[in-house]
Structure formats: C-alpha cells, structure tokens
Amino acid sequence: MARILAIDYGLKRTGIAVTDELQIIASGLTTVATDTLIDFLKDYVSAENVELFIIGKPKQMDNTDSESEELIIPFLEKLQKEIPSIPLQRVDERFTSKMAFQTMIDSGLKKKQRRNKALVDEISATIILQSYLYNK
C-alpha cells in the first residue's frame, strides 16, 4: 500500500501529516513555508509512494465555505496540474487548530512551546488525516 498525505494549508505555512504504508497511523511530518509547498510535495512523492492527498476544507459553523477557501482553490488547481497522478480529497477541518492546541496542553507542553504555530499546523494536519482514516 501507499501513504496518504494530509495538508493543512495556510497562507504563510502549511502543516503536513502522513500515514504509514499500511494507512493505519497518522503522524505529523513537518511544516513548510507555503511558497515552497509544491516543490516540497514534488520531492516527497518522488521519494515516497503516495496514493492520495487529503486537504483540509475550512468551513463556517453553518457549513458554508470559509473565506480562506478562496486562497486554497488556486493551490488545489496548481497541485493537480503539477502532480496529476495523485488524486485529491477534501476533509472538513473545523476546530482542528483548537483541537491541536488542546492536544499540546494535554501532552504537557509548556506555554512557550504551545506558541509554536508551526507545531499547531503540523498537529492540525495530523488531526485532519486521522479524521479521514477514521471515516473512510
């Protein structure tokens, strides 16, 4: 089997999570600067077998698309153009940042460590991926 890679897209930085090859466990991989994201993904998929990209879909409480969805759509179009062999699937990402922050508190990270927004993004991507795995 191949890995599934999740993306928590952000304007400045993007959290990345990935499954093991058996698609059982979701683990945080890294956070990358969004302006280098496509290059990072191209390098990653050339080294690892990836069968699916999961991208967070920001929603409002009333289930309508969030304003940040407008920023994600051009990225999705570029990703499909640059890496057409790997399909994309969207997953609701409501509350993932809050859940990531709570995870950091629950795991005993100190206040200074919890201010690391890159870590929040990586954990958010992991939560998005775990949600996909749970519901697939």
Side-chain angles (χ1 to χ4, degrees):
M1 291 181 85
R3 297 178 189 275
I4 299 171
L5 188 139
I7 299 168
D8 181 30
Y9 186 86
L11 191 56
K12 294 179 183 176
R13 70 191 162 274
T14 297
I16 309 286
V18 68
T19 65
D20 60 305
E21 291 178 345
L22 297 175
Q23 299 178 5
I24 297 171
I25 299 169
S27 301
L29 181 62
T30 190
T31 303
V32 298
T34 298
D35 60 355
T36 65
L37 180 57
I38 293 290
D39 290 334
F40 172 86
L41 293 171
K42 287 163 109 176
D43 290 343
Y44 189 83
V45 301
S46 71
E48 296 288 341
N49 189 11
V50 175
E51 74 176 38
L52 179 64
F53 289 128
I54 300 294
I55 295 98
K57 184 169 181 69
K59 296 258 191 183
Q60 303 284 359
M61 290 301 295
D62 65 0
N63 209 33
T64 59
D65 288 346
S66 144
E67 292 138 16
S68 54
E69 178 69 5
E70 293 177 20
L71 304 171
I72 297 172
I73 291 174
F75 162 72
L76 296 174
E77 292 168 352
K78 186 172 183 182
L79 180 59
Q80 286 182 316
K81 181 181 173 198
E82 296 287 333
I83 311 175
S85 61
I86 300 177
L88 309 175
Q89 191 165 333
R90 305 295 303 278
V91 171
D92 187 345
E93 68 170 44
R94 275 180 288 194
F95 307 116
T96 55
S97 292
K98 288 181 182 176
M99 291 168 63
F101 190 73
Q102 187 61 49
T103 299
M104 294 168 80
I105 291 170
D106 294 346
S107 65
L109 290 180
K110 298 201 183 320
K111 194 172 189 177
K112 185 175 181 180
Q113 294 168 307
R114 293 193 307 255
R115 289 189 192 128
N116 180 350
K117 293 185 183 195
L119 183 56
V120 172
D121 293 338
E122 185 178 324
I123 294 171
S124 293
T126 307
I127 292 169
I128 291 167
L129 185 52
Q130 191 63 52
S131 171
Y132 170 80
L133 292 173
Y134 181 77
N135 292 310
K136 86 172 188 179

